[in-house]
Amino acid sequence: MSSRSRIPFFFAILLLIAAGISIAIWRHVELGIPWFTGEQKPVWMVEARVDFDGTGEPVLASLNIPDQPPQFRIISEQAASPGYGFSIVDDSGERRAEWSKRNVSGPQTLYFKVQLIPDDRALGSQPKRPPKPEPVFWEEPQATAVQELLQQAAERSSTPESMTRELIKLLQPDQGAQNTTLLVSEANYIDLLTRMLNHAGIPARTADGLALEDARRRQQLRPFLQIYDGSRWLTFNPRTAEQGLPEHVLLWRQAAASLLDIVGGDNSDVSFSMLRQTIPALQLAQAQSSENGLGFLSLYQLPIEEQSMFRMLLLLPLGALVVAFMRIVVGIRTSGTFMPILIAVAFVQTTLIPGLIAFISVVAIGLLMRGYLSSLNLLLVSRISALIILVIFITAGLSIAGYQMGFNTGMTVTFFPMVIIAWTIERMSILWEEEGAREVFVQGAGSLFVAVCAFLIMSAPLASHLTFNFPELHFVVLGLILLMGQYTGYKLTELRRFYPMKAYN
């Protein structure tokens, strides 16, 4: 192959490897499949408790629940309120949990639980249409005071965000301004701030957030300010003017007009409890694969039986990579190309030591019987067919003997492909006749050594995890095997032959 003709080949190999790595990264990012086994992800369990007193009438309780909260992703929701009908409804763009029951009297308690995972990519729900500022009417003397404060904030700002920050600063008690004293009270502060921003032409609303702390009970929501900057809702601390949502704060209520509505009950109250847990990241990705748009790329969509089959089949390319490296680069001679791979797969099933004992025993007894068949001068097809039957009997005999001796866990040698073993015995016997016992030992030992190396890689938990969850990485394995196919240099085992020449020079 000329140097020019190799350029497209190497370019294709580069594309193959790049495609495998890119798709794997894409799968990791979009489906959340972890790179390593045992990786854990935090999960918050938040429980809303609704208490009220029934008045002996039919009850309809409606609680606002989170809808795509920023910095979090909801993975499950459930209610625990025996005797009540329950449903989640979409009421004018807001999600609400509704309980209903006829003839309710006395103290009542309703529960709503939600599981969430932190997700920095979650930006929260955005409106389909740009919201407009709500109309606000002021009476004197508040109208004059509002106008002067808005004018001062406008002079110190240039964007809706900076206008909001300046207005919050002006409304703080330490400013000591007469207009602030006239307008602001502790009871109406957040509502006043929202109304003033809407009056200034900036769409604003209040949102209720919940500070997440592990194992806390009976917590209450805290108010936050949100403004629309023309493209998305921005969150502010209404007291400090700090922009952005603090870490571990869940925005429970955003667009809803009310948090809780009770018909048929009095003295209602809502409190929250929370608990931080950790679950395997792979388990979480499996649970969400059906909901994700890229879930069809996951092998977890297949039946369990087929998943088990593919989990084993997808290890074969790793065995092929090891065999190619050992034969092409290292220079170890083996009995065929695929036999070490099949032996390694069998070792994965039987474990290493019992598998070695079973394989060596079957091949050794088979070679002795092959010698007898050779003396009968049979045709090749008859000889191989007879050898297959004999191998089955040998395998069955070893399995029975091993079971009686208490080694049943290692005697699952029926996994070994009988035809391949029979053919290997045939090849070794012919090699014995043509090259001698030494060559049979060299190739047999080489096959077992390569099979053991492949087994050590294929049996690693990380190898099984990557090959099954990121099957596109086999493109990388294929590219490496094709690259080794272009290797024409000295094998490592051949360097010993040329060592005397180096010493002589």
Side-chain angles (χ1 to χ4, degrees), residues 341-452:
I341 304 176
L342 297 175
I343 297 174
V345 173
F347 288 166
V348 172
Q349 294 290 319
T350 64
T351 67
L352 183 59
I353 301 302
L356 278 172
I357 295 174
F359 178 77
I360 293 174
S361 301
V362 171
V363 173
I365 298 174
L367 282 174
L368 294 176
M369 292 187 174
R370 165 59 177 79
Y372 172 73
L373 293 176
S374 180
S375 65
L376 299 178
N377 295 323
L378 299 176
L379 295 176
L380 177 62
V381 175
S382 298
R383 193 166 63 234
I384 292 293
S385 300
L387 197 57
I388 291 174
I389 297 175
L390 291 175
V391 166
I392 293 175
F393 278 107
I394 296 170
T395 302
L398 288 175
S399 297
I400 294 173
Y403 179 78
Q404 295 297 330
M405 297 173 62
F407 298 109
N408 55 309
T409 56
M411 289 296 110
T412 55
V413 336
T414 52
F415 186 86
F416 285 98
M418 297 302 172
V419 176
I420 299 298
I421 289 184
W423 185 251
T424 300
I425 295 173
E426 175 68 18
R427 289 191 57 185
M428 285 186 173
S429 62
I430 295 176
L431 188 65
W432 194 313
E433 296 173 357
E434 296 179 352
E435 302 290 340
R438 182 180 181 278
E439 187 64 23
V440 172
F441 176 78
V442 169
Q443 291 194 14
S447 298
L448 286 178
F449 176 75
V450 173
V452 170

Side-chain angles (χ1 to χ4, degrees), residues 1 6 8-17 317 320-322 324-325 328-329 474-488:
M1 182 182 291
R6 289 191 179 190
F9 171 79
F10 288 122
F11 181 72
I13 295 299
L14 181 62
L15 288 180
L16 198 64
I17 294 176
L321 179 64
V322 173
F325 177 79
I328 296 173
V329 179
H474 288 93
F475 290 148
V476 180
V477 175
L478 176 60
L480 294 176
I481 292 176
L482 293 176
L483 281 177
M484 283 190 287
Q486 293 289 310
Y487 180 73
T488 57

Side-chain angles (χ1 to χ4, degrees), residues 198-212:
N198 277 283
H199 185 74
I202 301 174
R205 68 186 186 188
T206 59
D208 292 329
L210 182 64
L212 300 180

Side-chain angles (χ1 to χ4, degrees), residues 214-229:
D214 189 21
R216 296 298 299 271
R217 301 174 63 249
R218 298 284 181 154
Q219 300 299 298
Q220 299 296 321
L221 299 176
R222 357 174 336 204
F224 286 88
L225 173 69
Q226 288 188 322
I227 67 165
Y228 191 75
D229 67 347

Side-chain angles (χ1 to χ4, degrees), residues 179-212:
N179 291 330
T180 303
T181 306
L182 174 65
L183 293 171
V184 179
S185 68
E186 188 64 29
N188 75 342
Y189 172 75
I190 186 69
D191 180 62
L192 172 67
L193 184 57
T194 304
R195 294 179 66 204
M196 291 180 68
L197 287 169
N198 277 283
H199 185 74
I202 301 174
R205 68 186 186 188
T206 59
D208 292 329
L210 182 64
L212 300 180

